[in-house]
Amino acid sequence: MKGTYLGEFEELVLLTVGILFDDAHGISVQQELENQSGRKPMISAVHKVLVRLEDKGFLTSKMGGATTERGGRRKRLYEMTPAGKRALAGSRTLRNKMWDAIPKVVWEGGQL
Amino acid sequence: MNHQEPPRWMLQFFQWFCREDLFEAISGDLLVQYYERASRMSRARNNGLFIGQVLTFFQPFAWRRPHTLSNHSIMFTNHLKVGFRLIRRNPVYSSINILGFAIGLSAVMLIALFIQQELSFDKFHSRGDDIVRFTYRLETPNATREGAKLPFPMKSVLEADYPEVRNVARFYFWGGDAPLLSYGNQKHTEEKLYFSENEVFQVFDFEFLAGNPSTALTEVKSIILTESLARKYFGTDDPMGKIMTYKNEDDLLVTGVIKDIPSNSHISFDALLPIELQRQRWMGWGQYTYDLEKDWNWAGAWVYGLLNPKTDNLAFEQKLQSIAEEHLNTDDQKGFTIEIQSLLDIHLRSDKSAEPGPNGNLTLVYAFAVVACLILLIACINFINLTTAQANKRLKEINIRQVMGAGRTNLVGQFLTESMILVSFSCIAAWLFAFLFMPFFNDFMGSSLSLGTQQVWLILAVCIVAFFLAAFSGVRPSVAIARLRAFQQMQPVRSSGLFNKILIVGQFAICNVLIIGIFVIEGQLDLLRHKDLGFDKEQMLVLRHGRNLSADQFEVFQNEINALPQVENLHRGYVAGTAAYTNTFQRVGAGSQDAYSLGIKWVGEGFTDMFEIDLVEGRSINPESIADIRESILINESAAKALGWSNSESIGKQLSFLPGGASEPEEIRIVGVMADANFESLYDPVLPSVFRMPQSALGSEVSLKLSPKGDLMRTITQIEAAWDLAIPEWPFEFNFLDQSIQEQYVREENLAAAIRYFAILAILIACSGLFGLSMFTIQQKRKEIGVRKVLGATVSSIFVLLSSRFMRLIVFSFLFAIPTGLYLSSNWLESFAFRISLDPMIFVWSGLISSMMVLMAIGLQSLKAAISDPVDSLRYE
């Protein structure tokens, strides 16, 4: 079992898979990431992270329907696992907690 | 839809490397994007993007997995695991095995680098195969002389009459000169200022950083600097076009900067000056008639030629003899032939008089190659012996593996994996050691090696050696064990078979030869260091610029020096122990075929007093009488013998000879005979020599004898003050004579150091191997020792029992070492005219030393086993 640490890009991909719900595969993830964040990762980077997230147990996948645009090849559709949801929730909680811990004066000071 | 399709081969490549479970989905994604792009870009561009995308998937996550569940890979992982456990369980054994081989291998790597450096000499010249050096050979009835230099006019004759020669380039350099180069307030005596000409750059490949190779030496007063010399005088400034001063007299324009001469060049210089400058200086810029370009009597230049490709060297050499006939062989002297030698042969195969620098020595290269092979052999033997002993200890484990169904291939695989692990560790450690030892090695070899990635051949060679060793030491025991039936294996096999015994004997025979080598070389060096040369060399100071003193300046200097009580003596003329010049002499009245090659030394007043040489017959030359100076000479005893006279007979005899540059022979009369002294190297017997006084003292060395009492530093400061008073424009620089004489034997000192280190290394490796081996045999015999002790064996009898096995082998190895050592050392000693005799004690001592080492390696273990309590070893029976 690999470590359950979630990197920044991994977290974005995981969130995207959540957004796409029932049509999360390589290209759709890449496009949605571009829509959301404005940056377009390489398709290989997207697949790499999907594979890794699956290895870590945050995603599962199954093969979907084939179309002619895909040269008759099926998609691999990804879905979040409970562990994936927990990891996202954990990451969000951690961020909120740390966000709250920043003293107010920092924000005020930042305006100087 | 359109009908564009991505390149098929790329998809196939993708399928080849990509994980099966990922391939379909990913290639689908790529195709979607490909079809989408097809409408808005050219096919070529689209294909390019597609290929690029596929290549970005060429990374580990997408690679096909090996069949992780195959039996082979499971066994392999198991073998690896067991192998690493084994290393950890026996740290002493493992480190002896790994380090022993690593140290041996690193020594071999260093030697291999050294040999490669020696073999690479002058190979960087692109036309090297066609470059030759012209040399001469002189055969006289009683001696043969080979010289690397030829007269200057060789060039014009070669260029005019020999179409085989494309270019001729000459170098001139005289080691006795102390050329002063100055720029601004920077004043240095440069060691290696060579004179040459433009053609040098057509023949050789010396790389120019600035300046034009075809005209850089055209101007008479010009100079080409090497990079480091340029930096020394000009720092970061551009030296081009600057003016430097040569010997305080000529202003030279810097017309070129070249890269430093590579360390594997046989000819090496810091700066080049035009030969024409030297010619003009000697002609006094037109005042005198002496012209070196017309002087056939003086072999002063190294002459190199670039021949047309595919010239038949033998036929060409034949043709050259007409030059020798016409110009070199005179009525007075016959026997000259001109020879050519390939540039690539000079460094290792040429040992003529007046070589540009100390050449390498093919014998030394061979010797080192042999030493390297021996060390490698010892290290490999060690490794094999230790692995075999280790394998014998694991019979039970192997038996269980066999019972569980392991076949022969499986066992071989296991042992192979284990020895591969050990060897890999060794190789890494060896590389590290080689890196660490490199500076020391360079220091005593006088080499400038470096270890980097450019030596791919070395990495490859190390890997091949390592692979074969691992294969051999892994396969041998496993095959032997696998052949045994299961019930036999429960009994330990004889751990030290004949094969291992032979290996041990071989190992120690080599060690003993090396120890004998150390004794012989040290003894000989001791002789060279302390042999009474027959003249006084202690406390002798030689001035580097002494020859620049004019008669008046010398008088000033002499007066100042005479006032110093710490200076016992002052001499102007030949300095004992320095380079020898020879000339051909004839006995007057003995016919024209009579010729003797004798050394000629121009000595000053009081030479015999200065260097404390006895006059055994006759008288010395009277410095007050011009006639005596012109006509009289002294000879040494060897010269009297060479000329066929006794000491007393030779007094009054006359000789004739042709001095350099003169056209008429001179006749001289022997008035005294000097005791023999070794003025030259102890390699050669005493050179039969003639001692003559120059008619003017110009151009001769100045040496001073200091009193052993008194403050040396103060004395030197006072001499410097005297020097500055006499001739302030030349710097005060000096050498001590005993040091410069000792420098002649640097090569022997280095050889001794190298042999010493490598011998110690070899012995250490061999002993550590024996240590490991004895540890195992003794462990195997623990029960036997216990039983013997219970039955009443004494500690000493068990000690003898355990160590005698090895000691017998050592004694046996000695029988091989004596004749080999005898042969090799007498061979080496033959190159010296003065050599030690081979004392039988040398052999006794080396035998004792190696026995001591072995006793130390195995004794402690044996003793421990002998005094151990039998209860411990027999408890579980």
Side-chain angles (χ1 to χ4, degrees), chain A residues 97-112:
Chain A
K97 207 170 84 191
M98 292 177 73
W99 187 267
D100 292 342
I102 298 175
K104 238 185 173 174
V105 66
V106 171
W107 304 111
E108 284 158 9
Q111 284 168 351
L112 282 177

Side-chain angles (χ1 to χ4, degrees), chain A residues 26 30 47-48 70 74 76, chain B residues 21 24 29 33 35 59:
Chain A
Q30 188 191 21
H47 276 284
K48 186 177 177 176
R70 301 182 59 83
R74 288 175 298 167
R76 182 175 283 272
Chain B
D21 55 328
E24 187 177 349
D29 280 0
Q33 292 185 330
Y35 297 141
Q59 44 179 315

Side-chain angles (χ1 to χ4, degrees), chain A residues 25-27 30 40 42-45 47-48 51 55 63 68-76 78, chain B residues 1 11 19-33 35 53 56-57 59 61 65:
Chain A
H25 65 278
I27 290 193
Q30 188 191 21
K40 186 173 183 180
M42 281 200 300
I43 186 75
S44 57
H47 276 284
K48 186 177 177 176
V51 169
D55 283 348
M63 299 307 284
T68 42
E69 301 100 80
R70 301 182 59 83
R73 288 159 213 256
R74 288 175 298 167
K75 300 171 184 171
R76 182 175 283 272
Y78 287 89
Chain B
M1 278 309 309
L11 263 176
R19 272 165 66 172
E20 264 168 82
D21 55 328
L22 292 181
F23 175 71
E24 187 177 349
I26 294 178
S27 61
D29 280 0
L30 293 183
L31 283 176
V32 170
Q33 292 185 330
Y35 297 141
Q53 275 184 321
T56 61
F57 277 95
Q59 44 179 315
F61 85 93
R65 296 287 178 269

